[in-house]
Amino acid sequence: MDYKIARHNMVENQVRTNKVTDPLVIAAMEEVPRELFLPENKRGIAYVDEDIPVGGGRYAMEPMVIARLMQEAGIARTDVALVIGAGFGYTGAAISRVAETVVAVESDKDMAMAAEKACQALNYDNVIVVEGDIGAGYAKQAPYNVIVFDGAVAEVPNTILDQLSEGGRMLVVVHAPGKVGIARLYERENGVVGHRDLFDANIPYLPGFEPAESFVF
């Protein structure tokens, strides 16, 4: 399989056709070999326009959603970004082509090791993969100019919102039970965090951020 052609077709048919016009985002999607950030048995479907299950209840988010979140974040070359739920590392790698530094936190040891290995193989040395509780973010390096969740959440945790810098942007798909998932932009201005909804995005939940179970009597 010619992955370079598949990657180009992904950009032309999935990314550009879904309102992604930022040249830096498009260049990042053209550059990063998505197949290297997936388990070997999934590499043949690396460029399909859907979420790819990668084990342990985790999914590689579809490329179009990643590209749109990156564009809405307005990432600058001087930005430090945090990725919540790095998985095998693709989202962090894509953001690293635009931002100055990316901290990608992942609770699964094997996934964190695979993400780090893939980034090292490509000399993406501005990506720091941290094994740790994704529900806590990574306060040690906070605040961050950009925070991106690599999966949907039922509710946005204040613990991670608190790690957003003044002028910072957080992009996350909020998927409340029984409702359509919505990509949402949070921004901190003058110490106050506000948000606005961007577009529909029905992606799977990031483990640990699912809706709380309700009891039925």
Side-chain angles (χ1 to χ4, degrees):
M1 179 175 181
D2 191 325
Y3 288 115
K4 186 174 181 180
I5 291 176
R7 185 160 58 252
H8 178 71
N9 289 339
M10 174 198 75
V11 171
E12 293 301 313
N13 300 323
Q14 299 175 39
V15 176
R16 289 184 184 273
T17 56
N18 279 284
K19 302 179 181 179
V20 179
T21 57
D22 186 323
L24 294 179
V25 174
I26 291 171
M29 303 300 282
E30 282 272 17
E31 175 188 342
V32 180
R34 181 172 168 86
E35 70 277 7
L36 298 185
F37 293 90
L38 290 172
E40 289 190 20
N41 65 348
K42 299 291 184 179
R43 291 181 178 179
I45 56 171
Y47 296 101
V48 298
D49 58 344
E50 58 186 52
D51 307 295
I52 301 173
V54 294
R58 300 292 290 276
Y59 289 79
M61 212 161 42
E62 63 177 289
M64 179 275 289
V65 174
I66 297 170
R68 291 198 67 179
L69 293 178
M70 287 175 62
Q71 176 168 271
E72 295 290 350
I75 305 169
R77 292 292 191 188
T78 55
D79 282 344
V80 177
L82 173 67
V83 175
I84 303 295
F88 283 86
Y90 178 74
T91 299
I95 293 173
S96 79
R97 302 301 83 202
V98 184
E100 178 178 52
T101 304
V102 175
V103 177
V105 62
E106 175 52 54
S107 54
D108 184 288
K109 181 179 180 180
D110 291 337
M111 287 186 185
M113 289 176 62
E116 184 174 20
K117 182 178 179 180
C119 287
Q120 289 178 346
L122 293 163
N123 294 317
Y124 291 174
D125 54 8
N126 63 330
V127 181
I128 303 165
V129 181
V130 177
E131 183 189 345
D133 177 11
I134 60 175
Y138 195 64
K140 185 176 180 180
Q141 296 295 328
Y144 301 95
N145 307 108
V146 174
I147 299 176
V148 176
F149 282 73
D150 204 346
V153 305
E155 295 182 1
V156 176
N158 289 328
T159 303
I160 296 175
L161 264 179
D162 290 343
Q163 296 173 34
L164 196 62
S165 69
E166 177 66 24
R169 293 85 64 204
M170 186 173 81
L171 281 299
V172 57
V173 174
V174 180
H175 194 172
K179 296 184 179 180
V180 175
I182 299 291
R184 186 172 289 171
L185 168 65
Y186 288 81
E187 296 179 279
R188 184 183 298 280
E189 297 293 343
N190 299 316
V192 178
V193 176
H195 72 267
R196 59 187 175 89
D197 293 344
L198 302 172
F199 58 91
D200 292 350
N202 275 320
I203 63 172
Y205 287 111
L206 193 57
F209 294 93
E210 304 96 338
E213 291 186 10
S214 58
F215 292 96
V216 177
F217 296 96

